[in-house]
Amino acid sequence: MVYLVHPLQITSVASLDYREAIRAAFIGGIGESTGDLDHDLLSIVLQLQVKSGEAVNFHIPPYVEAWKGGQNTELVADDEEEKNLDQTTTAQNREHSQGATRSFPPATQALAESVFMDSTWLQKQLNLIDRRRQIILFGPPGTGKTFLALKLAAHIAGNDSYTEIVQFHPSYSYEDFFQGYRPVTTSLGNLTYELKDGPLRRIVDQAIKNPEYNYVLVIDEINRGNLAKIFGELYFLLEYRDQPIKLQYSKDDEDTFVMPENLFLIGTMNTSDRSIALLDAAMRRRFSFVELHPEKQPVKSVLPLLSEHHFGEEVDIEEKYGLASLRAHLKKEAAVRIENSNAADG
């Protein structure tokens, strides 16, 4: 009904899953989620209208490709069929565009159980990463962003040797992240400088040598660094991966660099430190943003937060904090209270 009254401002998409997918695909254009789905969609629609000069229909090109990965524009009633179509389309697109590059494995039940999140939601995020190549998980501290980023990276790559993690901070630089001259001591004890590769350059070289594998770089606390200083000319490659460019330390005109298609970036960002709106506009355009908030699913069920608190402690979160465990604990407490009450009456 609202769409009929305000067709130029309200989207006609009724499915909650689809509306959330649209927000995930276009949130980078408006900067920061307000936490209100309808408000975010309105901002997205208005922004797209300003760019196109006409009403926005998310069921037709060019918009449908952005949030459904190029599927047929008619809605699919059955959620399971929709998920299967998403996976098939994503794999086909990867096969046509990248040749031998391996498609993503689907979100398995094992992955869902390891992060205590719904497999359908996880599949949507995998589809988003596959389509955009770069995403940022954002939200307040303790919502499991780093934990989830590492799990997604391992799932996408299939092997820890194909993943790397780096954490940004205020003094982090281009030379730390990509490539720069570093002091070294020679065998004679003299001090000299050598060009050393940073984590991005190392993982890029591996990805280029092995195009049949997926590589993932996790950038923790991405908003804590000076992004313009850290990325430098690499900003361009985040959007135009097939275009070779000269680097800051290129030896000659023929020494060019490209960002391989089989490299994926997953960033994490604490919104308590800095708002998405304060990020460089170029960075917001090049990344898709996925919100993790304690008052919203999938974080609302509390277990990802506990997983992050117990990370590295080999604690079985489901066994310790799962519903069955909580019920058993409450039953035991009730029995103790009854026993104490009976003892007092006696």
Side-chain angles (χ1 to χ4, degrees), residues 20 44 47 55 74-75 96 122 130 144 146 173 181 206 210 239 272 278 293 316 321-323 345-346:
E20 289 178 343
I44 289 170
Q47 186 245 10
E74 294 185 8
L75 297 178
H96 290 311
L122 289 170
D130 196 7
T146 303
S173 67
Y181 284 97
Q206 293 181 54
N210 304 286
E239 188 167 6
S272 61
L278 298 179
H293 196 280
D316 189 326
Y321 299 106
L323 184 58
D345 293 340

Side-chain angles (χ1 to χ4, degrees), residues 20-37:
E20 289 178 343
I22 290 172
R23 176 170 66 173
F26 294 98
I27 191 67
I30 64 173
E32 181 179 10
S33 170
T34 64
D36 185 302
L37 179 58

Side-chain angles (χ1 to χ4, degrees), residues 185-200:
T185 303
T186 66
S187 59
L188 299 177
N190 298 323
L191 183 67
T192 185
Y193 289 86
E194 291 184 1
L195 192 61
K196 297 288 187 179
D197 293 338
L200 178 59

Side-chain angles (χ1 to χ4, degrees), residues 26 48 52 54 56-67 70:
F26 294 98
L48 292 176
S52 65
E54 57 187 19
V56 174
N57 186 339
F58 288 109
H59 299 308
I60 63 175
Y63 307 111
V64 68
E65 289 88 350
W67 68 275

Side-chain angles (χ1 to χ4, degrees), residues 134-138 222 267-269 279 283 287-290:
Q134 296 115 210
I135 72 165
I136 291 178
L137 306 176
F138 73 98
I222 190 171
T268 70
M269 172 179 171
L279 286 181
M283 180 62 68
F287 280 81
S288 288
F289 291 83
V290 177

Side-chain angles (χ1 to χ4, degrees), residues 126-252:
L126 290 173
N127 291 342
L128 181 63
I129 298 171
D130 196 7
R131 185 171 66 247
R132 293 297 305 273
R133 297 292 189 276
Q134 296 115 210
I135 72 165
I136 291 178
L137 306 176
F138 73 98
T143 48
K145 298 180 295 296
T146 303
F147 178 78
L148 177 60
L150 292 173
K151 287 289 187 179
L152 289 175
H155 180 79
I156 292 168
N159 190 312
D160 289 341
S161 63
Y162 303 147
T163 69
E164 190 159 352
I165 182 171
V166 62
Q167 188 177 70
F168 283 2
H169 50 78
S171 63
Y172 207 69
S173 67
Y174 175 93
E175 287 74 16
D176 297 313
F177 184 51
F178 187 73
Q179 191 179 56
Y181 284 97
R182 288 287 180 264
V184 294
T185 303
T186 66
S187 59
L188 299 177
N190 298 323
L191 183 67
T192 185
Y193 289 86
E194 291 184 1
L195 192 61
K196 297 288 187 179
D197 293 338
L200 178 59
R201 182 62 192 253
R202 291 195 299 267
I203 199 169
V204 163
D205 288 344
Q206 293 181 54
I208 292 175
K209 292 177 183 177
N210 304 286
E212 70 275 18
Y213 295 109
N214 296 325
Y215 287 80
V216 185
L217 177 63
V218 176
I219 305 176
D220 198 31
E221 307 282 3
I222 190 171
N223 56 303
R224 294 188 64 223
N226 183 333
L227 300 183
K229 172 185 175 183
I230 294 173
F231 278 92
E233 69 274 8
L234 302 176
Y235 257 166
F236 177 82
L237 291 181
L238 293 178
E239 188 167 6
Y240 304 100
R241 290 199 174 206
D242 59 340
Q243 297 295 317
I245 65 169
K246 289 184 62 177
L247 298 171
Q248 184 172 328
Y249 295 101
S250 291
K251 298 176 182 178
D252 50 53

